[in-house]
Amino acid sequence: MLMHGHDLYGHLDGSTPTPNPSTTFGTNTTPNPAYTLWFRQDYLIQNALMASVDPMIASTVDAANTSKQAWDSLHTAYANKSQTQIFSLRDQLARITKDSLPITEYLQRIRSLSDELATAGALVTNSELIVKIFTGLGPEFREISAAIRARDTTVTYEELYEKLLDHELFLRHEEAKKIQSPITAAVATHNKSTNNSNNRNNRRQNNNGTPTHNPHQWR
């Protein structure tokens, strides 16, 4: 925006070509004032580029003869870097699976990678995002995944987030029931065994306290 505001962008895109360093009138050659102005502006632009780039590639700007050469070199360097970053992000996105992650963390990681790809110039569409989420889920989400896929309308990321979170809570409740059932059964068995033992002890005590009748004691 600064370049456009000062009408200097032509130095970068080549629309403001380099003037001749000198002018000739007859047999007289004199320095060209237009070149002097252009050179000063171009030098300032090149220094501004130098100050704004990563020190690792500042030498690329310094080696250029003009700001346009520096700009073209930066464009190539950053384009290659951007493509490398995009490949890396896409690879990470393809490999991520839920496994033992909570559903919130799993979805947040996918969304974060998607946002980074968009920033790098590789937009991930909503449909691609939803498909990726489904493919990384475990078998415990198979039923809800099938139900959502069968819908006539496309689900949004926000809607899918809520549905998967609800399903995860449901799975946790079901798992808690499975854990609780054996414990409840064991307690019931223990109580029954204790009651039976107490009943047997009571019967023994009652039998011991009852006098034994001897039919011959009065004879």
Side-chain angles (χ1 to χ4, degrees):
M1 294 181 66
L2 180 64
M3 297 298 176
H4 285 294
H6 290 276
D7 197 23
L8 296 174
Y9 195 76
H11 283 258
L12 301 179
D13 65 8
S15 59
T16 303
T18 309
N20 289 324
S22 60
T23 58
T24 302
F25 296 96
T27 58
N28 295 325
T29 300
T30 58
N32 186 357
Y35 175 80
T36 302
L37 176 62
W38 179 92
F39 180 83
R40 289 175 179 172
Q41 291 176 336
D42 201 71
Y43 183 77
L44 290 173
I45 294 171
Q46 195 166 349
N47 276 277
L49 292 175
M50 176 85 74
S52 63
V53 299
D54 191 314
M56 295 294 293
I57 59 174
S59 59
T60 301
V61 178
D62 188 50
N65 294 322
T66 65
S67 61
K68 184 181 186 309
Q69 289 181 6
W71 183 255
D72 290 343
S73 297
L74 288 174
H75 185 270
T76 301
Y78 275 110
N80 292 337
K81 183 178 180 181
S82 179
Q83 286 300 315
T84 301
Q85 182 185 19
I86 289 172
F87 289 147
S88 176
L89 290 171
R90 286 197 180 279
D91 182 63
Q92 292 179 55
L93 186 61
R95 291 174 180 272
I96 188 171
T97 56
K98 181 184 178 299
D99 293 332
S100 60
L101 293 174
I103 196 68
T104 52
E105 185 176 349
Y106 169 65
L107 294 177
Q108 286 169 0
R109 286 189 182 183
I110 290 180
R111 189 56 182 265
S112 177
L113 289 170
S114 173
D115 291 343
E116 289 187 59
L117 280 166
T119 302
L123 181 66
V124 179
T125 66
N126 182 74
S127 297
E128 291 173 333
L129 191 64
I130 300 306
V131 169
K132 170 55 206 171
I133 291 172
F134 281 146
T135 56
L137 293 173
E140 66 273 18
F141 287 86
R142 185 180 296 114
E143 291 183 5
I144 188 172
S145 296
I148 295 175
R149 288 172 187 265
R151 288 177 34 161
D152 293 332
T153 57
T154 303
V155 65
T156 64
Y157 171 84
E158 290 74 17
E159 185 181 1
L160 182 60
Y161 184 102
E162 294 296 331
K163 289 184 178 298
L164 293 180
L165 186 60
D166 288 343
H167 188 69
E168 183 180 56
L169 292 174
F170 168 76
L171 292 175
R172 288 179 181 175
H173 291 157
E174 291 299 306
E175 187 65 25
K177 289 180 182 178
K178 292 179 182 179
I179 296 174
Q180 188 66 26
S181 295
I183 296 176
T184 304
V187 171
T189 302
H190 174 73
N191 291 339
K192 182 178 180 181
S193 176
T194 301
N195 290 335
N196 290 338
S197 177
N198 290 337
N199 290 336
R200 285 195 297 271
N201 290 335
N202 290 336
R203 284 196 296 270
R204 290 195 189 98
Q205 291 176 0
N206 291 335
N207 291 335
N208 291 336
T210 303
T212 302
H213 176 67
N214 187 350
H216 300 287
Q217 66 180 345
W218 302 107
R219 294 182 181 180

